[in-house]
Amino acid sequence: MSALVLTGDGVSVEDVAAVARGSRKVEIAPAVMQRLDKARKVLDGAAASGQQIYGLNTGLGANLGTSVSGDASAFQRQLLEGRSGAVSDPLPQEIVRATMLARAAMLSVGGSGISPHVFVALVDTLNAGVHPVMPSLGSIGAGDLVLMAALGRMLIGDGEADYQGRRMPAAKALAMARLAPVSLAPKDGLSLINASAVSAGSGALAVVDALSAFAQQQQTGALTMEGIGANRTLLDPRLHLARPAACQQLAAKGLRDLLARDEAPAPTSLQDPLSIRCMPSIHGALIQAIDQARLAVEIELTAAADNPLVLGDDELVLSTGNFHTASLALAFETLGLAIAQSAAACAARFIQLTGSGRNGLPRYLSPLGGTSAGFVPLQKTVTAILAAIRHKANPVMLDFLPVSEGVEDHATQTPLAISKCADMIVLWRRLIAFELMAAAQAIDLRDGLTLAPATAAIHAAVRALVPPLKGDRPLGRDAEALYATLASGAWQA
């Protein structure tokens, strides 16, 4: 895999996933180093002129009116120590790596004034696999600086790091990787931490996962349509042209492609339940929500979101509110609601498939009948999973208190909005596994059914992991095996 070259002109969510979850290396374009050097000179010149610069020669937050006395570089170490207030379990390594890349991508734009050697050190530690131990609770979305303090401390050799699967003092990890702790010039500490890099990095991974789960949901919905004998006129492109709602035509086309064959089977009903008949509408809204979340994340990954901001071409240093991520939080709140809608429809289709016997299917999808439980006990599990999704769909971005003596009187809760959205994707994938199992069983119980090439491949993939139900057995174990394949990426392969 070729290296990702940071140019300051853009990083995609797929780039973040490749670095965070794979072995993709990161390189720095020469133009970035020139841009950083220019910005640093502008920052140093502004400071030498006596300009008050937040976090360089002034305190932070409520200490804004206090001038930094003594060694301005020593204040940067103090700044990192004083902001290290995060608690709870460490963030997973893939999120830490995504965070490191996100901050490097943002810094490469050149608005921070960070010393070039500190920027290089950040990229070097990422490539070497030296990762700060970052406690997960502490950010309210007005920048992630309390979480990011762990990254800054690691680069100067303080705190703890994970290296080669072991947790150890950061200084030891750097030494083992043949890297040296960095020295901080004025503002370097603030430049490392005053950003929404945890939000942007974890958000990128959530978008990639949402795209993957959506593709699986489309495949599963098509398999359900085969198994239940759905009326396919609902996919007629003229219907969706008549009401061109958000991405509805795109969702309908995706289902049509999955079901495409020379001769479609006759439908078993005039109109199917709404969870089937309205799939293009539900999935179209989800496509739009994923697109908006991608846009919001990729704006952050290409943004100079620093406060203060160095405008190199204009030779100015100005205070900003660019670190505030209201649009990012809103995008993930919306994505969470769209996922909840799709998950609810997925659960409803499972209930339709496994109920009293719709469209000629046997009750509970059991070939035995009588006292056989078949798939019906799983309806409880599906309902429990959906309840957890609905709970996490509740918005959180308005839950904040004024802090820092009222200076920071607004927040976005972006990390929480993203993390609960990521949790919802995990739960939604479990529902997809249940629907896949039920749809495959329904197909097996329909005599003489010839599947479309795409749905035949989907059915075969299910059957490679889960055998048909011939008598009652622990189906939860089968659902777990199918979910693990969906979540691992092996399903797409």
Side-chain angles (χ1 to χ4, degrees), residues 33-51:
M33 298 306 296
Q34 295 168 10
R35 191 181 305 133
L36 296 182
D37 185 63
K38 180 178 181 179
R40 184 72 221 185
K41 289 176 179 175
V42 170
L43 179 66
D44 289 340
S49 72
Q51 178 182 337

Side-chain angles (χ1 to χ4, degrees), residues 407-425:
V407 173
E408 299 172 16
D409 58 354
H410 191 275
T412 63
Q413 296 292 6
T414 306
L416 181 56
I418 292 171
S419 67
K420 72 185 182 70
C421 184
D423 292 343
M424 291 168 67
I425 294 169

Side-chain angles (χ1 to χ4, degrees), residues 185-235:
K187 194 184 173 290
D188 280 343
L190 183 62
S191 293
L192 286 169
I193 71 173
N194 192 18
S196 298
V198 176
S199 299
S202 60
L205 298 182
V207 170
V208 168
D209 290 342
L211 287 165
S212 165
F214 170 71
Q216 294 165 355
Q217 181 66 90
Q218 284 274 88
Q219 295 168 352
T220 304
L223 202 67
T224 292
M225 290 182 68
E226 296 273 38
I228 211 164
N231 191 327
R232 293 150 198 252
T233 58
L234 71 95
L235 301 178

Side-chain angles (χ1 to χ4, degrees), residues 418-440:
I418 292 171
S419 67
K420 72 185 182 70
C421 184
D423 292 343
M424 291 168 67
I425 294 169
V426 172
L427 294 165
W428 174 32
R429 244 194 258 269
R430 290 191 180 278
L431 290 182
I432 292 170
F434 280 108
E435 185 185 353
L436 268 176
M437 284 173 50

Side-chain angles (χ1 to χ4, degrees), residues 4 6 13 67 101 162 174 235 330 365 376 404 455 463 478:
L4 171 65
L6 295 178
V13 296
S67 297
L101 176 61
D162 283 320
L174 291 172
L235 301 178
L330 182 59
L365 293 181
V376 78
S404 197
T455 51
R463 285 291 167 252
D478 293 339

Side-chain angles (χ1 to χ4, degrees), residues 46-47 50-59 66-69 72 75-76:
Q51 178 182 337
Q52 277 199 317
I53 299 173
Y54 180 76
L56 187 153
N57 49 29
T58 78
T66 304
S67 297
V68 174
S69 58
F75 172 64
Q76 297 302 303

Side-chain angles (χ1 to χ4, degrees), residues 256-288:
R256 278 199 311 276
D257 290 346
L258 288 165
L259 292 163
R261 68 190 75 189
D262 293 335
E263 186 176 343
T268 57
S269 64
L270 176 63
Q271 285 195 162
D272 295 297
L274 297 184
S275 60
I276 297 171
R277 193 174 3 135
C278 299
M279 247 195 294
S281 300
I282 298 166
H283 289 186
L286 176 56
I287 292 171
Q288 185 184 51

